[in-house]
């Protein structure tokens, strides 16, 4: 350890010497939602659109995926090896991500995945490395991400989302929370999209007919 780092840590320890012990964390916040399934999906789609992403609620997710890719001109699409066969669209080149390099991922027109769960209150999709969800790199490098969400996977509140993700967290799997297209306003409060991930996000919510 460098002398400078040790000095900084020593000052931090000294500053915390008189700090109180463990501070109780209030747990009285709302942990369960009250909306039914249709209302949850509706609110989720509304929140996704508020971020500037597209949200498609449909009983035919495969067709919606194909239409979304065609609308964005995506011809070479990166997919996880375990993407459900029923979601694989015709008429495009599917490139299976078996450890593609960054330059290869960047050359793709889009990425197509599923997700672990979604939150209606925040319009957030959660990726946890499960079946059909792919690697983080697959969903962060291509400019367009099309994500298929099952209606049953949409919960209402953030605590419910974290509850769904707890098994993945305990297994040590990486978790990515996505709320809209990638954007930042760090520099002079000017919004710039595509800095930390895709500039374009399409969320397809599959519901029962």
């Amino acid at each position: 350890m460098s002398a400078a780092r040790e000095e900084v840590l020593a000052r931090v320890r000294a500053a915390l010497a008189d700090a109180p012990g463990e501070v109780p964390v209030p747990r009285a916040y709302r942990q369960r939602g009250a909306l039914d399934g249709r209302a949850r999906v509706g609110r989720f789609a509304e929140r996704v659109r508020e971020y500037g992403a597209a949200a498609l609620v449909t009983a035919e997710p495969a067709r919606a995926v194909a239409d979304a890719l065609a609308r964005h001109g995506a011809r070479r699409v990166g997919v996880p090896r375990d993407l459900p066969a029923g979601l694989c669209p015709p008429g495009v080149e599917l490139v299976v991500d078996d450890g593609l390099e960054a330059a290869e991922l960047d050359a793709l027109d889009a990425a197509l995945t599923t997700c672990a769960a979604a939150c209606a209150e925040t319009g957030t999709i959660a990726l946890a490395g499960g079946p059909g969800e792919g690697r983080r790199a697959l969903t962060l490098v291509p400019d367009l991400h099309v994500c298929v969400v099952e209606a049953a996977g949409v919960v209402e509140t953030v605590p419910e989302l974290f509850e769904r993700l707890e098994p993945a967290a305990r297994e040590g799997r990486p978790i990515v929370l996505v709320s809209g297209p990638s954007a930042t306003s760090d520099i002079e409060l000017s919004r710039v999209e595509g800095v930390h991930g895709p500039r374009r996000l399409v969320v397809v919510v599959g519901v029962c007919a």
Side-chain angles (χ1 to χ4, degrees), residues 27 35 77 104 157 161:
R27 301 292 185 186
L35 298 178
V77 180
E104 295 174 304
T157 68
L161 178 66

Side-chain angles (χ1 to χ4, degrees), residues 56-135:
L56 311 173
V57 180
T58 175
E60 299 181 283
R63 176 177 293 184
V65 165
D67 290 346
L69 292 172
R71 187 165 55 254
H72 286 275
R75 298 183 179 277
R76 298 185 70 249
V77 180
V79 296
R81 179 163 293 282
D82 52 4
L83 184 75
L87 294 178
C88 295
V92 298
E93 179 187 353
L94 298 180
V95 182
V96 176
D97 177 28
D98 278 331
L100 296 173
E101 299 292 335
E104 295 174 304
L105 291 169
D106 189 49
L108 297 172
D109 296 323
L112 169 62
T113 73
T114 62
C115 73
C119 179
E121 278 193 343
T122 60
T124 301
I125 58 175
L127 304 161
E133 297 170 46
R135 298 186 298 153

Side-chain angles (χ1 to χ4, degrees), residues 128 162 164-175:
F162 287 170
R164 290 283 185 100
L165 297 174
E166 183 177 358
R170 291 190 179 280
E171 292 174 14
R173 303 209 309 262
I175 295 173

